[in-house]
Amino acid sequence: MAKLIKYEMKGSFKEFLGLILTIIAANVLLIFKKGVWKEETIILLSCAIVGISLVIIFSWNIKVFSKELNDDTGYLLYTLPVSSNSLLVSKLVTAFIQFLSILILNFIFIYFMLTSKISINLIGAIRSVNPIFITIKIFNSIVGYVGFLCVIYFSITLSKVALKRKKKLSKLGSWIVFIGICLGISSLSEMLERLIPYSIPINVMKFNSNITINSFKVQSLTGDLYIVSIILDVVVAIVFFLLTSYLIREKLDL
């Protein structure tokens, strides 16, 4: 597994490094423009860098998977003596590591951009957050992201299996399959939430804790955890992971 992940990371290392250097250069430029440009303009451009860079890395993860399936060199990877589950896990882990790395890098620059505008004790704020809430949210975010990738990978693989060597139709078909699945999942989620409208209220902040933002004390926040939604995200991730793995193992003709 580790070798597969290393192989995946190595395959896109130059592009990934290039994106990181571009993000650093763009944000450093914005830092030097502080006091010259309006503060609102700098923050807006910084947020734009975040959005664009996350879209780019996400698109790369999809493009690499699609390219390996549709190019003639795909058989070099998909005929390796490893299980389809291991192969798919390595791709998902690599995609998540890259996405998280870009997210953290952007967060660091956003923090330095905002601290001059908003007075906030970051360490104190983190310590004030309810660990149960943050753990559930992190878990749900990871499952949601992985599940979304699994749906996309399944759509690409199913279209490849169904349309064989017709590359152009295969790409169009994957979009149609993806949109259909997303609409189906959305409808199912709404139906389940109507049938089982239960949520668990949870404190975002620890009891008897507060943080100060620009002299304004935030003492208590609550959020609702929709159990059905969380369970559905887990089921979607597992089901489409297994379906994609099965298609790669049994139906893919490279």
Side-chain angles (χ1 to χ4, degrees):
M1 179 64 70
K3 290 183 178 180
L4 283 173
I5 295 174
K6 182 179 178 181
Y7 174 84
E8 295 286 345
M9 294 291 291
K10 186 178 179 180
S12 58
F13 177 75
K14 290 183 179 179
E15 293 83 357
F16 183 61
L17 180 60
L19 180 59
I20 288 177
L21 293 177
T22 301
I23 293 171
I24 293 174
N27 279 285
V28 168
L29 175 62
L30 292 181
I31 291 173
F32 279 112
K33 290 298 181 179
K34 293 180 74 172
V36 180
W37 293 352
K38 291 182 178 180
E39 195 75 26
E40 293 77 7
T41 301
I42 292 177
I43 292 175
L44 181 63
L45 290 174
S46 184
C47 291
I49 292 171
V50 175
I52 292 171
S53 60
L54 290 179
V55 168
I56 289 174
I57 194 65
F58 183 71
S59 300
W60 277 353
N61 293 144
I62 299 171
K63 184 179 179 181
V64 168
F65 185 85
S66 178
K67 184 178 180 181
E68 289 174 350
L69 282 183
N70 290 293
D71 282 5
D72 294 334
T73 56
Y75 73 93
L76 294 174
L77 179 61
Y78 289 97
T79 56
L80 289 174
V82 295
S83 69
S84 56
N85 286 346
S86 297
L87 190 62
L88 193 54
V89 167
S90 69
K91 291 186 176 298
L92 292 171
V93 170
T94 301
F96 183 74
I97 290 174
Q98 292 178 337
F99 188 86
L100 184 62
S101 300
I102 296 300
L103 187 63
I104 292 174
L105 178 62
N106 278 300
F107 175 79
I108 293 171
F109 280 108
I110 283 286
Y111 172 72
F112 284 112
M113 296 292 182
L114 291 179
T115 47
S116 61
K117 190 73 176 177
I118 301 174
S119 176
I120 180 173
N121 183 350
L122 181 63
I123 303 300
I126 293 174
R127 289 176 177 174
S128 298
V129 176
N130 185 350
I132 297 176
F133 174 81
I134 196 66
T135 300
I136 294 174
K137 283 300 181 181
I138 290 175
F139 171 78
N140 200 32
S141 297
I142 293 174
V143 171
Y145 182 73
V146 170
F148 190 58
L149 275 179
C150 285
V151 170
I152 295 175
Y153 289 173
F154 171 78
S155 302
I156 295 171
T157 308
L158 179 62
S159 183
K160 169 68 176 179
V161 170
L163 297 174
K164 303 297 181 182
R165 298 294 179 179
K166 299 176 182 178
K167 293 183 180 180
K168 292 183 178 180
L169 286 177
S170 177
K171 292 180 180 180
L172 176 61
S174 62
W175 277 106
I176 295 173
V177 173
F178 171 71
I179 293 172
I181 292 173
C182 288
L183 290 174
I185 293 173
S186 178
S187 299
L188 179 60
S189 178
E190 291 178 3
M191 181 184 70
L192 290 175
E193 287 184 6
R194 286 197 302 268
L195 294 174
I196 315 173
Y198 298 113
S199 62
I200 299 176
I202 185 171
N203 290 309
V204 177
M205 314 299 292
K206 292 178 181 177
F207 293 110
N208 301 320
S209 66
N210 60 74
I211 60 173
T212 302
I213 301 177
N214 282 6
S215 301
F216 176 75
K217 288 187 177 181
V218 180
Q219 294 182 330
S220 63
L221 292 171
T222 58
D224 291 323
L225 296 177
Y226 291 92
I227 304 302
V228 172
S229 179
I230 295 175
I231 294 175
L232 181 60
D233 286 344
V234 174
V235 171
V236 166
I238 293 174
V239 167
F240 283 97
F241 173 86
L242 294 176
L243 287 174
T244 305
S245 179
Y246 169 77
L247 289 177
I248 291 174
R249 182 175 65 253
E250 301 292 342
K251 302 296 182 179
L252 198 59
D253 181 17
L254 294 172

